Amino acid sequence: MPERTLSTMDFVFSLEPTFVARGFTGDIRLMTRILKAAIRHRGFAFVDMLQACPTYNHVATHEYLLDRYYDANAEGHDASDLAEARRIATSVQDRIACGILYQREDIPDFYERLTPRAGVETTCVEEVRKYDVSQYFAQFL
């Protein structure tokens, strides 16, 4: 029995994301807008990129995707509406919603939630030190 396809967007939304977008390689302007927004987003950004595979996928061709994708933001989609974002992200039978599907900016980012780092001015990278751990390996050699 073949494996069932994983609904990646349903899975992503189950993780309570703060940024979810979908782009299409056939629309460079849309892709650029999405990637810029994802980079600027404070926190983890999930971006799904639709791309035709001419070698193995003879159904979802470039023309197929070109006919079905649409810019949900241009059609008035409110990216702050989680329920609607999830609905349009997972409804891909007739049309495929692209654009910034969900974005929440009122959640503190990773560093803001690290209470032990409160008041610390250095970055984590600046605090990395080299440690000689060879004595711990001696017992195994």
Side-chain angles (χ1 to χ4, degrees):
M1 175 173 170
E3 292 295 322
R4 290 184 20 222
T5 302
L6 174 67
S7 175
T8 55
M9 285 301 210
D10 218 13
F11 176 69
V12 167
F13 277 98
S14 74
L15 300 173
E16 300 178 11
T18 57
F19 184 98
V20 178
R22 180 187 287 136
F24 169 47
T25 57
D27 188 336
I28 302 301
R29 282 195 177 113
L30 177 63
M31 243 176 41
T32 302
R33 179 171 55 87
I34 289 168
L35 292 174
K36 282 182 179 179
I39 291 167
R40 289 183 182 125
H41 181 71
R42 294 175 357 141
F44 178 77
F46 179 85
V47 178
D48 181 28
M49 278 298 169
L50 300 175
Q51 177 178 323
C53 176
T55 304
Y56 296 108
N57 192 338
H58 301 291
V59 177
T61 63
H62 182 79
E63 291 74 23
Y64 175 92
L65 295 172
L66 196 58
D67 289 342
R68 285 168 180 75
Y69 96 100
Y70 69 99
D71 183 347
N73 305 120
E75 292 191 9
H77 170 65
D78 176 9
S80 67
D81 185 342
L82 176 63
E84 180 63 9
R86 187 174 191 161
R87 187 191 72 73
I88 67 170
T90 56
S91 300
V92 294
Q93 291 75 24
D94 299 320
R95 298 175 74 204
I96 303 170
C98 291
I100 298 169
L101 304 178
Y102 182 67
Q103 184 169 14
R104 186 166 176 191
E105 300 181 82
D106 63 332
I107 302 287
D109 69 14
F110 177 76
Y111 286 108
E112 292 169 341
R113 287 183 278 144
L114 286 177
T115 54
R117 295 201 50 81
V120 177
E121 296 295 323
T122 58
T123 67
C124 293
V125 174
E126 293 170 332
E127 296 171 15
V128 174
R129 295 179 186 89
K130 290 185 179 181
Y131 292 94
D132 181 8
V133 294
S134 58
Q135 67 183 13
Y136 301 111
F137 291 109
Q139 64 182 326
F140 300 111
L141 300 176

